[in-house]
Amino acid sequence: SQQGEEDPQALSIQEGENATMNCSYKTSINNLQWYRQNSGRGLVHLILIRSNEREKHSGRLRVTLDTSKKSSSLLITASRAADTASYFCATDAKGTGGFKTIFGAGTRLFVKA
Amino acid sequence: DTAVSQTPKYLVTQMGNDKSIKCEQNLGHDTMYWYKQDSKKFLKIMFSYNNKELIINETVPNRFSPKSPDKAHLNLHINSLELGDSAVYFCASSPFNQRVQETQYFGPGTRLLVL
């Protein structure tokens, strides 16, 4: 089963509005990361939040982490058409040889100009 | 000066064929990965190598065989291709850390279509 699951699956907003995406996971984590994927491209790392952090900012991005609820949210403020992409949360799971990153199914964000 | 590169970008082939995808990273990372992204955009790890050694091997058919000639390269060979292998395959790399998962850097993907 999926470790990270995003909500909503798709989100359509107007340029200038804020976009909030949520991620829930099942087991304990060391850190949680958010990635962006533009259509037809590879994933690009956006932000990493450690399990002992509650909030982190990077430019127009704000990430929160609630380990008691096993959930995280990504807020993009003052969205732009260029923010149109899929956004994935990723959590770590320890395997026998090392860590594996488990990605959620993603939220598809459409920002209309 | 691409950080993580993959070749080919597109691969169209017939069922039953054998094909390879190559990946190279110039970031000096010790760890490399192969992911498969299906048509619903679901991304799942297949393999992970650290300094040429296999460290993660998910439930992947034996038809998939990764090979790491050195820590900057991780290739993926697929035998007897099936329709269900059609997907986008991503290579990624990261520094190695025994305590936490580090940020990964992804290649542009190889779009495989099996006819």
Side-chain angles (χ1 to χ4, degrees), chain A residues 3-49:
Chain A
Q3 169 76 322
E5 296 185 5
E6 285 90 344
D7 164 53
Q9 289 187 352
L11 182 59
S12 181
I13 59 174
Q14 289 291 137
E15 209 166 29
E17 293 179 342
N18 295 341
T20 299
M21 289 159 268
N22 303 298
C23 168
S24 60
Y25 57 92
K26 294 183 172 65
T27 61
S28 61
I29 60 170
N30 293 310
N31 63 44
L32 184 144
Q33 303 182 57
W34 284 90
Y35 287 80
R36 184 186 73 215
Q37 183 180 32
N38 288 83
S39 180
R41 310 289 287 273
L43 277 74
V44 174
H45 181 257
L46 294 176
I47 198 164
L48 179 152
I49 187 165

Side-chain angles (χ1 to χ4, degrees), chain B residues 57-73:
Chain B
N57 183 350
E58 290 296 286
T59 308
V60 177
N62 290 338
R63 299 181 296 103
F64 290 80
S65 51
K67 195 163 284 187
S68 182
D70 56 63
K71 75 172 195 176
H73 294 85

Side-chain angles (χ1 to χ4, degrees), chain A residues 39-99:
Chain A
S39 180
R41 310 289 287 273
L43 277 74
V44 174
H45 181 257
L46 294 176
I47 198 164
L48 179 152
I49 187 165
R50 302 197 186 282
S51 59
N52 61 356
E53 297 176 310
R54 291 296 165 258
E55 188 170 312
K56 204 158 183 182
H57 296 254
S58 176
R60 292 184 297 112
L61 306 180
R62 174 177 165 250
V63 168
T64 62
L65 179 64
D66 187 337
T67 52
S68 66
K69 293 182 180 177
K70 292 187 168 59
S71 67
S72 173
S73 68
L74 170 67
L75 168 68
I76 304 174
T77 59
S79 64
R80 304 167 183 167
D83 294 329
T84 294
S86 292
Y87 293 82
F88 295 87
C89 71
T91 54
D92 55 353
K94 188 82 162 70
T96 51
F99 283 97

Side-chain angles (χ1 to χ4, degrees), chain B residues 5-104:
Chain B
S5 58
Q6 294 178 230
T7 54
K9 190 170 182 179
Y10 299 96
L11 189 50
V12 182
T13 188
Q14 297 287 330
M15 239 173 29
N17 283 353
D18 303 338
K19 290 293 179 186
S20 292
I21 308 172
K22 295 180 185 250
C23 178
E24 176 180 3
Q25 54 96 3
N26 62 6
L27 297 168
H29 291 160
D30 291 317
T31 308
M32 295 184 73
Y33 313 80
W34 276 112
Y35 287 88
K36 178 180 179 181
Q37 187 174 44
D38 62 23
S39 57
K40 295 183 178 177
K41 302 293 186 187
F42 178 55
L43 195 70
K44 186 169 181 183
I45 189 164
M46 301 171 70
F47 303 101
S48 173
Y49 270 71
N50 182 58
N51 206 7
K52 302 192 297 175
E53 276 192 44
L54 179 67
I55 57 172
I56 290 174
N57 183 350
E58 290 296 286
T59 308
V60 177
N62 290 338
R63 299 181 296 103
F64 290 80
S65 51
K67 195 163 284 187
S68 182
D70 56 63
K71 75 172 195 176
H73 294 85
L74 181 62
N75 304 323
L76 183 65
H77 188 76
I78 315 170
N79 289 327
S80 305
L81 278 155
E82 300 177 357
L83 295 177
D85 297 332
S86 295
V88 183
Y89 292 83
F90 286 100
C91 176
S93 72
S94 76
F96 180 71
N97 188 323
Q98 278 191 316
R99 293 180 296 108
V100 294
Q101 174 65 67
E102 294 280 352
T103 296
Q104 293 176 51

